[in-house]
Amino acid sequence: MTAQPSALDAPGGVQGSAASQLTPAALELRGISKRFGVVQAVDSVDLVLRPGEVHALVGENGAGKSTLIGIAAGVYQPDGGQLLLRDRAIRFSTPAAAEAAGVSVVYQELSLVPDLDVAENIYLHREPRRARLFLDNARLHARCGAHLESLGIDIDPRAHVATLSVAQRQLIEIAKALSRDASVVIFDEPTASLGSVEEAHLLAIIGRLKAEGKAVAYVSHRLDEIFAVCDVVTVLKDGRLVATLPITQVDHERLVSLMVGRELAEDLFPPRRSPPARDGAPVLRVVDASSPGRIRDVSLSLWPGEIVGLAGLIGSGRTSLLRAIFGADERARRSVLLDGIEVGPSPVAAIGAGIAYVTEDRKSEGLAIDLTNLANLESTTLSRYGWRYDPGATRGAAEKAADEVRLDSGLLDRRSRLLSGGNQQKVVLGKWLTVSPRVLLCDEPTRGIDVGAKAEIYRLLRGLADTGVAILMASSELPEILGLADRILVMREGRLVAEFADVVPTEEAVMRAAAMEQMEVTV
């Protein structure tokens, strides 16, 4: 049964410490409603952001969090309710108006310009100029370098964004938002692309913002972060306010129950079975995979039915290794054998051999976001038919895959852009199921999705492994690696540096291998 907000959950009710109640709100959203067509995205929701307080906003995908953030940032106009900035009614007609008023947002979906460098992105439309006309590049890059240094971000201000990894781009997105003198800073899944070390650094930055008296809103599916950094938590479900409570009044189980409207099983991960046998021939063997500046001489083997976790810090080479195996890195040199047969260095060859790849960025690489979910599910099967294309057969395969990933059949004819993150990820996985892969490469398979959808993805991956599919899964979330993998490989500086087999290591042991201690590798 879904909890209902009490009188204490109203804007003037108990939020954070008693002292915070004496502080006027930096930004208040009062009775906000927003509808998109027939969908009521937000329905009479209240949110109060106070100076010196970190306010968590949580809920399953589709709960209304992104819509509420969009209204606070001037992206959407509310159908009902009002915004108050320091107790004065206000309406942000554009995102630029919200920024000018002191509201800055770090979005999960990156808004950087790939063809510009780091400094040009961070200070876009705010570049220093000489004689009010000419761009002053020296001042621009010096200012950017000082700003990045103050945040502890080690990235060259002159580097083009197109050359950066997804994680590095996320750090630049954060630096861009913090470069403005904002009184309200909203973070939307800021650690979804970050490793544990970078995540800890970001949480320290948020602590500093709090100490400076900034009002911070924090959206995350990672509950450990919520409890580590937040003072207050607001829970949304189906566009409605469930509760607003001091973080000290809830624990993990209670918070999950409020989010999903039911008690979630204590263990998110499917039961472990006996470790897959590795005494026969491997299904996949990778020999001496290298790519200039990315990975060096990486060799590994996968056996049927096992899930191998690929751990490592940002920049360790996990994504580069997966791309090299799949043939998506033109600079890579490697030997990949599937059942002892060499696989050519291209995605077409990999797919033809039975290797599928779930990329870390589902919106730009995993989906044709403006096509229907049916079209996306069918996309991997079209090459089978050529001139003999059979619409009935391809739709049948797509519907079967949708059923296997538990995607509601009523969503098949909707555009993928309109789905929650969890359902989008189901479509990405489903399209690969239509080709019955022997090997599945997964990069951050649960990035930016809620706890309930994560549990479904875990069950799906374990179910695929039980049918004999070999899975190589890169993830920045160590609990995910530890909870799901049968074997763990650790990367550092483009090399494999450790293997944990037949024993579940501690997080500390994996982090030591990833960060500092050289260990022997067995492949």
Side-chain angles (χ1 to χ4, degrees), residues 152-279:
I153 297 175
D154 184 19
I155 297 176
D156 185 354
R158 293 175 175 79
H160 273 247
V161 166
T163 67
L164 302 181
S165 68
V166 172
Q168 289 174 316
R169 295 184 195 190
Q170 183 67 70
L171 291 174
I172 297 308
E173 191 77 52
I174 292 166
K176 178 181 176 181
L178 298 183
S179 70
R180 305 178 180 94
D181 187 21
S183 58
V184 178
V185 184
I186 301 173
F187 292 89
D188 182 12
E189 296 285 353
T191 62
S193 303
L194 302 182
S196 54
V197 172
E198 295 78 14
E199 173 190 326
H201 183 70
L202 173 61
L203 298 186
I205 291 174
I206 291 173
R208 190 180 76 188
L209 294 175
K210 175 182 173 180
E212 292 172 355
K214 309 291 188 184
V216 178
Y218 193 80
V219 181
S220 179
H221 291 306
R222 299 182 178 181
L223 300 189
D224 287 342
E225 296 173 10
I226 298 296
F227 286 95
V229 77
C230 297
D231 305 295
V232 184
V233 58
T234 286
V235 183
L236 299 181
K237 180 172 175 57
D238 299 329
R240 293 178 175 270
L241 175 66
V242 176
T244 294
L245 298 165
I247 199 68
T248 54
Q249 291 187 10
V250 292
D251 57 18
H252 284 67
E253 290 73 21
R254 175 62 173 156
L255 191 53
V256 169
S257 177
L258 289 171
M259 289 168 57
V260 304
R262 63 188 185 279
E263 296 294 337
L264 197 66
E266 182 179 346
D267 189 358
L268 291 178
F269 302 101
R272 287 184 179 274
R273 53 186 178 79
S274 299
R278 295 194 293 271
D279 50 359

Side-chain angles (χ1 to χ4, degrees), residues 200-475:
H201 183 70
L202 173 61
L203 298 186
I205 291 174
I206 291 173
R208 190 180 76 188
L209 294 175
K210 175 182 173 180
E212 292 172 355
K214 309 291 188 184
V216 178
Y218 193 80
V219 181
S220 179
H221 291 306
R222 299 182 178 181
L223 300 189
D224 287 342
E225 296 173 10
I226 298 296
F227 286 95
V229 77
C230 297
D231 305 295
V232 184
V233 58
T234 286
V235 183
L236 299 181
K237 180 172 175 57
D238 299 329
R240 293 178 175 270
L241 175 66
V242 176
T244 294
L245 298 165
I247 199 68
T248 54
Q249 291 187 10
V250 292
D251 57 18
H252 284 67
E253 290 73 21
R254 175 62 173 156
L255 191 53
V256 169
S257 177
L258 289 171
M259 289 168 57
V260 304
R262 63 188 185 279
E263 296 294 337
L264 197 66
E266 182 179 346
D267 189 358
L268 291 178
F269 302 101
R272 287 184 179 274
R273 53 186 178 79
S274 299
R278 295 194 293 271
D279 50 359
V283 63
L284 182 80
R285 186 164 180 81
V286 180
V287 181
D288 294 334
S290 296
S291 181
R294 297 174 181 174
I295 54 173
R296 295 177 290 168
D297 304 321
V298 177
S299 297
L300 60 86
S301 297
L302 299 181
W303 275 265
E306 70 171 346
I307 299 177
V308 176
L310 195 59
L313 303 179
I314 286 178
S316 63
R318 295 169 304 173
T319 295
S320 296
L321 176 59
L322 296 182
R323 289 177 60 83
I325 295 171
F326 192 63
D329 181 355
E330 294 181 352
R331 301 193 304 166
R333 297 292 179 267
R334 90 284 194 267
S335 175
V336 173
L337 298 96
L338 190 77
D339 294 325
I341 300 174
E342 187 81 26
V343 178
S346 73
V348 171
I351 295 169
I355 301 174
Y357 179 28
V358 176
T359 63
E360 67 174 326
D361 189 344
R362 58 179 170 267
K363 288 194 173 181
S364 65
E365 296 179 333
L367 294 170
I369 202 72
D370 287 316
L371 296 184
T372 66
N373 298 307
L374 178 63
N376 273 290
L377 288 166
E378 290 178 330
S379 62
T380 50
T381 65
L382 295 179
S383 61
R384 289 183 178 182
Y385 297 98
W387 61 271
R388 294 177 291 104
Y389 171 62
D390 181 347
T394 56
R395 183 176 182 108
E399 290 176 342
K400 181 176 182 292
D403 184 61
E404 290 179 13
V405 299
R406 300 184 185 179
L407 181 71
D408 190 330
S409 61
L411 299 176
L412 287 177
D413 293 315
R414 293 188 66 184
R415 287 189 300 162
S416 294
R417 180 182 296 279
L418 301 177
L419 295 188
S420 67
N423 278 330
Q424 286 178 346
Q425 195 70 345
K426 289 181 181 181
V427 175
V428 174
L429 284 163
K431 78 174 188 178
W432 289 117
L433 296 188
T434 64
V435 299
S436 302
R438 298 289 313 284
V439 174
L440 179 63
L441 310 175
C442 290
D443 197 355
E444 304 289 357
T446 64
R447 175 177 177 257
I449 66 177
D450 65 70
V451 65
K454 282 185 177 184
E456 288 194 57
I457 298 297
Y458 298 151
R459 285 193 292 270
L460 175 62
L461 293 178
R462 176 54 70 192
L464 287 173
D466 288 343
T467 66
V469 177
I471 299 174
L472 181 60
M473 177 188 76
S475 176

Side-chain angles (χ1 to χ4, degrees), residues 23-28 30 50 83-90:
T23 307
L27 180 66
E28 180 177 351
R30 184 179 295 173
R50 300 184 187 279
L83 278 69
L84 294 95
L85 186 69
R86 291 180 285 278
D87 291 335
R88 296 184 60 181
I90 193 168

